[in-house]
Short mmCIF file of all heavy atoms in Angstrom, two decimals:
data_model
loop_
_atom_site.label_atom_id
_atom_site.label_comp_id
_atom_site.label_asym_id
_atom_site.label_seq_id
_atom_site.Cartn_x
_atom_site.Cartn_y
_atom_site.Cartn_z
N ALA F 75 21.36 -30.05 -4.59
CA ALA F 75 21.60 -30.36 -3.17
C ALA F 75 22.57 -31.53 -3.03
O ALA F 75 23.44 -31.53 -2.15
CB ALA F 75 20.27 -30.65 -2.47
N ALA F 76 22.41 -32.54 -3.88
CA ALA F 76 23.31 -33.71 -3.83
C ALA F 76 24.72 -33.30 -4.19
O ALA F 76 25.70 -33.72 -3.58
CB ALA F 76 22.80 -34.80 -4.78
N ASP F 77 24.86 -32.45 -5.21
CA ASP F 77 26.19 -31.94 -5.58
C ASP F 77 26.82 -31.15 -4.42
O ASP F 77 27.97 -31.36 -4.09
CB ASP F 77 26.09 -31.02 -6.80
CG ASP F 77 25.97 -31.79 -8.10
OD1 ASP F 77 26.22 -33.00 -8.14
OD2 ASP F 77 25.65 -31.14 -9.13
N ALA F 78 26.02 -30.27 -3.83
CA ALA F 78 26.55 -29.46 -2.72
C ALA F 78 27.02 -30.35 -1.57
O ALA F 78 28.08 -30.12 -0.98
CB ALA F 78 25.49 -28.46 -2.24
N ALA F 79 26.25 -31.38 -1.27
CA ALA F 79 26.64 -32.29 -0.19
C ALA F 79 27.94 -33.01 -0.52
O ALA F 79 28.82 -33.18 0.32
CB ALA F 79 25.53 -33.32 0.04
N THR F 80 28.07 -33.41 -1.77
CA THR F 80 29.31 -34.11 -2.19
C THR F 80 30.50 -33.16 -2.09
O THR F 80 31.53 -33.55 -1.54
CB THR F 80 29.14 -34.60 -3.65
OG1 THR F 80 28.04 -35.52 -3.70
CG2 THR F 80 30.41 -35.31 -4.12
N PHE F 81 30.33 -31.96 -2.63
CA PHE F 81 31.47 -31.04 -2.66
C PHE F 81 31.85 -30.53 -1.27
O PHE F 81 33.01 -30.43 -0.94
CB PHE F 81 31.15 -29.84 -3.55
CG PHE F 81 30.73 -30.22 -4.96
CD1 PHE F 81 29.84 -29.43 -5.66
CD2 PHE F 81 31.21 -31.35 -5.59
CE1 PHE F 81 29.45 -29.76 -6.96
CE2 PHE F 81 30.84 -31.68 -6.87
CZ PHE F 81 29.95 -30.89 -7.55
N GLU F 82 30.84 -30.21 -0.46
CA GLU F 82 31.10 -29.56 0.81
C GLU F 82 31.31 -30.54 1.99
O GLU F 82 32.27 -30.43 2.71
CB GLU F 82 29.95 -28.60 1.15
CG GLU F 82 29.87 -27.45 0.15
CD GLU F 82 28.58 -26.67 0.28
OE1 GLU F 82 27.88 -26.82 1.30
OE2 GLU F 82 28.26 -25.94 -0.64
N ARG F 83 30.41 -31.46 2.13
CA ARG F 83 30.50 -32.36 3.29
C ARG F 83 31.52 -33.48 3.11
O ARG F 83 32.19 -33.86 4.04
CB ARG F 83 29.13 -32.96 3.61
CG ARG F 83 28.20 -31.96 4.28
CD ARG F 83 26.95 -32.63 4.68
NE ARG F 83 26.06 -32.58 3.51
CZ ARG F 83 24.75 -32.65 3.56
NH1 ARG F 83 24.14 -32.77 4.73
NH2 ARG F 83 24.03 -32.55 2.49
N LEU F 84 31.61 -34.00 1.91
CA LEU F 84 32.58 -35.10 1.66
C LEU F 84 33.94 -34.59 1.17
O LEU F 84 34.84 -35.37 1.00
CB LEU F 84 31.99 -36.08 0.64
CG LEU F 84 30.67 -36.75 1.07
CD1 LEU F 84 30.19 -37.66 -0.05
CD2 LEU F 84 30.86 -37.53 2.35
N LEU F 85 34.02 -33.28 0.95
CA LEU F 85 35.28 -32.64 0.50
C LEU F 85 35.82 -33.23 -0.80
O LEU F 85 37.02 -33.35 -0.98
CB LEU F 85 36.32 -32.73 1.62
CG LEU F 85 35.92 -32.06 2.94
CD1 LEU F 85 37.01 -32.28 3.98
CD2 LEU F 85 35.60 -30.59 2.77
N ILE F 86 34.92 -33.58 -1.68
CA ILE F 86 35.30 -34.06 -3.00
C ILE F 86 35.19 -32.88 -3.95
O ILE F 86 34.09 -32.33 -4.11
CB ILE F 86 34.42 -35.26 -3.48
CG1 ILE F 86 34.59 -36.42 -2.53
CG2 ILE F 86 34.78 -35.61 -4.90
CD1 ILE F 86 33.67 -37.58 -2.83
N PRO F 87 36.26 -32.46 -4.57
CA PRO F 87 36.19 -31.31 -5.48
C PRO F 87 35.27 -31.54 -6.66
O PRO F 87 35.20 -32.64 -7.19
CB PRO F 87 37.64 -31.15 -5.95
CG PRO F 87 38.47 -31.90 -4.97
CD PRO F 87 37.62 -33.00 -4.44
N SER F 88 34.59 -30.49 -7.09
CA SER F 88 33.64 -30.63 -8.20
C SER F 88 34.34 -31.09 -9.47
O SER F 88 33.76 -31.83 -10.25
CB SER F 88 32.93 -29.29 -8.45
OG SER F 88 33.85 -28.28 -8.79
N ARG F 89 35.58 -30.71 -9.66
CA ARG F 89 36.32 -31.15 -10.86
C ARG F 89 36.51 -32.66 -10.89
O ARG F 89 36.44 -33.30 -11.92
CB ARG F 89 37.68 -30.43 -10.89
CG ARG F 89 38.54 -30.92 -12.05
CD ARG F 89 39.61 -29.93 -12.37
NE ARG F 89 39.09 -29.21 -13.51
CZ ARG F 89 39.45 -28.01 -13.88
NH1 ARG F 89 40.31 -27.35 -13.16
NH2 ARG F 89 38.98 -27.46 -14.95
N VAL F 90 36.74 -33.27 -9.71
CA VAL F 90 36.88 -34.72 -9.63
C VAL F 90 35.55 -35.40 -9.98
O VAL F 90 35.53 -36.40 -10.73
CB VAL F 90 37.36 -35.14 -8.21
CG1 VAL F 90 37.30 -36.65 -8.04
CG2 VAL F 90 38.76 -34.63 -7.97
N VAL F 91 34.47 -34.89 -9.48
CA VAL F 91 33.14 -35.44 -9.79
C VAL F 91 32.88 -35.31 -11.28
O VAL F 91 32.38 -36.27 -11.91
CB VAL F 91 32.05 -34.74 -8.95
CG1 VAL F 91 30.67 -35.20 -9.36
CG2 VAL F 91 32.26 -34.98 -7.45
N MET F 92 33.20 -34.16 -11.86
CA MET F 92 32.99 -33.97 -13.30
C MET F 92 33.81 -34.93 -14.11
O MET F 92 33.30 -35.52 -15.09
CB MET F 92 33.35 -32.50 -13.64
CG MET F 92 33.14 -32.17 -15.09
SD MET F 92 33.48 -30.42 -15.44
CE MET F 92 35.17 -30.27 -14.96
N GLU F 93 35.07 -35.11 -13.78
CA GLU F 93 35.92 -36.05 -14.51
C GLU F 93 35.38 -37.47 -14.42
O GLU F 93 35.33 -38.19 -15.41
CB GLU F 93 37.37 -36.00 -13.99
CG GLU F 93 38.13 -34.74 -14.34
CD GLU F 93 38.50 -34.66 -15.81
OE1 GLU F 93 38.70 -35.70 -16.46
OE2 GLU F 93 38.63 -33.53 -16.31
N ASN F 94 35.00 -37.88 -13.24
CA ASN F 94 34.44 -39.23 -13.04
C ASN F 94 33.16 -39.41 -13.82
O ASN F 94 32.97 -40.46 -14.45
CB ASN F 94 34.22 -39.49 -11.57
CG ASN F 94 35.50 -39.67 -10.80
OD1 ASN F 94 36.54 -39.94 -11.36
ND2 ASN F 94 35.43 -39.47 -9.49
N ALA F 95 32.28 -38.42 -13.81
CA ALA F 95 31.03 -38.54 -14.55
C ALA F 95 31.29 -38.65 -16.04
O ALA F 95 30.69 -39.51 -16.73
CB ALA F 95 30.12 -37.32 -14.27
N GLY F 96 32.16 -37.84 -16.55
CA GLY F 96 32.48 -37.89 -18.01
C GLY F 96 33.08 -39.22 -18.41
O GLY F 96 32.73 -39.79 -19.43
N ARG F 97 34.01 -39.72 -17.60
CA ARG F 97 34.63 -41.02 -17.94
C ARG F 97 33.63 -42.16 -17.85
O ARG F 97 33.71 -43.11 -18.63
CB ARG F 97 35.83 -41.25 -17.02
CG ARG F 97 37.05 -40.46 -17.44
CD ARG F 97 38.32 -40.98 -16.79
NE ARG F 97 38.24 -40.92 -15.34
CZ ARG F 97 38.69 -39.89 -14.60
NH1 ARG F 97 39.25 -38.89 -15.19
NH2 ARG F 97 38.58 -39.92 -13.30
N GLU F 98 32.69 -42.08 -16.93
CA GLU F 98 31.66 -43.12 -16.84
C GLU F 98 30.74 -43.10 -18.06
O GLU F 98 30.31 -44.14 -18.53
CB GLU F 98 30.85 -42.99 -15.55
CG GLU F 98 31.57 -43.50 -14.33
CD GLU F 98 31.99 -44.96 -14.45
OE1 GLU F 98 31.12 -45.81 -14.75
OE2 GLU F 98 33.18 -45.25 -14.25
N VAL F 99 30.44 -41.91 -18.58
CA VAL F 99 29.66 -41.82 -19.81
C VAL F 99 30.42 -42.46 -20.95
O VAL F 99 29.85 -43.23 -21.74
CB VAL F 99 29.30 -40.36 -20.13
CG1 VAL F 99 28.72 -40.23 -21.53
CG2 VAL F 99 28.34 -39.80 -19.10
N VAL F 100 31.70 -42.20 -21.04
CA VAL F 100 32.52 -42.83 -22.10
C VAL F 100 32.51 -44.33 -21.95
O VAL F 100 32.37 -45.07 -22.93
CB VAL F 100 33.96 -42.27 -22.09
CG1 VAL F 100 34.89 -43.06 -23.00
CG2 VAL F 100 33.95 -40.79 -22.49
N ARG F 101 32.69 -44.80 -20.74
CA ARG F 101 32.66 -46.26 -20.50
C ARG F 101 31.33 -46.85 -20.97
O ARG F 101 31.32 -47.88 -21.64
CB ARG F 101 32.88 -46.57 -19.01
CG ARG F 101 33.00 -48.05 -18.70
CD ARG F 101 33.20 -48.33 -17.23
NE ARG F 101 32.06 -47.90 -16.42
CZ ARG F 101 30.90 -48.56 -16.34
NH1 ARG F 101 30.73 -49.67 -17.01
NH2 ARG F 101 29.91 -48.12 -15.57
N PHE F 102 30.24 -46.19 -20.64
CA PHE F 102 28.91 -46.65 -21.07
C PHE F 102 28.82 -46.71 -22.60
O PHE F 102 28.35 -47.69 -23.17
CB PHE F 102 27.84 -45.71 -20.49
CG PHE F 102 26.45 -46.07 -20.94
CD1 PHE F 102 25.71 -47.03 -20.27
CD2 PHE F 102 25.87 -45.40 -22.04
CE1 PHE F 102 24.43 -47.33 -20.69
CE2 PHE F 102 24.60 -45.72 -22.46
CZ PHE F 102 23.86 -46.68 -21.77
N ILE F 103 29.28 -45.67 -23.24
CA ILE F 103 29.24 -45.61 -24.73
C ILE F 103 30.08 -46.77 -25.30
O ILE F 103 29.64 -47.42 -26.25
CB ILE F 103 29.76 -44.24 -25.24
CG1 ILE F 103 28.76 -43.15 -24.85
CG2 ILE F 103 29.98 -44.27 -26.74
CD1 ILE F 103 29.29 -41.74 -25.10
N LEU F 104 31.27 -46.97 -24.77
CA LEU F 104 32.13 -48.03 -25.29
C LEU F 104 31.52 -49.40 -25.10
O LEU F 104 31.68 -50.28 -25.95
CB LEU F 104 33.50 -47.98 -24.60
CG LEU F 104 34.39 -46.78 -24.97
CD1 LEU F 104 35.60 -46.72 -24.03
CD2 LEU F 104 34.79 -46.86 -26.40
N GLU F 105 30.83 -49.60 -23.98
CA GLU F 105 30.21 -50.91 -23.73
C GLU F 105 28.97 -51.13 -24.59
O GLU F 105 28.77 -52.24 -25.09
CB GLU F 105 29.81 -51.04 -22.25
CG GLU F 105 30.97 -51.22 -21.32
CD GLU F 105 30.55 -51.30 -19.87
OE1 GLU F 105 29.33 -51.22 -19.58
OE2 GLU F 105 31.44 -51.43 -18.99
N ARG F 106 28.16 -50.14 -24.74
CA ARG F 106 26.90 -50.30 -25.42
C ARG F 106 26.92 -50.05 -26.93
O ARG F 106 26.15 -50.64 -27.67
CB ARG F 106 25.83 -49.36 -24.80
CG ARG F 106 25.50 -49.63 -23.38
CD ARG F 106 24.37 -50.67 -23.27
NE ARG F 106 24.05 -50.93 -21.90
CZ ARG F 106 22.95 -50.57 -21.28
NH1 ARG F 106 22.03 -49.92 -21.94
NH2 ARG F 106 22.76 -50.88 -20.02
N TYR F 107 27.76 -49.10 -27.35
CA TYR F 107 27.71 -48.66 -28.76
C TYR F 107 29.08 -48.58 -29.40
O TYR F 107 29.40 -47.61 -30.10
CB TYR F 107 27.02 -47.26 -28.84
CG TYR F 107 25.71 -47.24 -28.15
CD1 TYR F 107 25.56 -46.60 -26.92
CD2 TYR F 107 24.59 -47.82 -28.73
CE1 TYR F 107 24.34 -46.55 -26.28
CE2 TYR F 107 23.34 -47.78 -28.09
CZ TYR F 107 23.26 -47.12 -26.86
OH TYR F 107 22.04 -47.10 -26.23
#
C-alpha cells in the first residue's frame, strides 16, 4: 500500500524508488562494514 501510494499519488516512478533504496543500502554497508 505504501509503494502504491508513492508510485500513484506522488507520481514517483517505481524505478526511481528502487534505485534510491539500493543506493541507500550501499551507503549503509559502506558506513558500517
Side-chain angles (χ1 to χ4, degrees):
D77 281 347
T80 300
F81 305 149
E82 295 168 15
R83 285 186 274 205
L84 300 178
L85 302 176
I86 298 174
S88 62
R89 176 160 260 156
V90 171
V91 174
M92 181 176 60
E93 288 288 331
N94 289 339
R97 282 195 300 266
E98 284 301 308
V99 169
V100 170
R101 186 181 64 75
F102 176 85
I103 292 169
L104 290 170
E105 286 179 2
R106 296 272 180 110
Y107 308 105

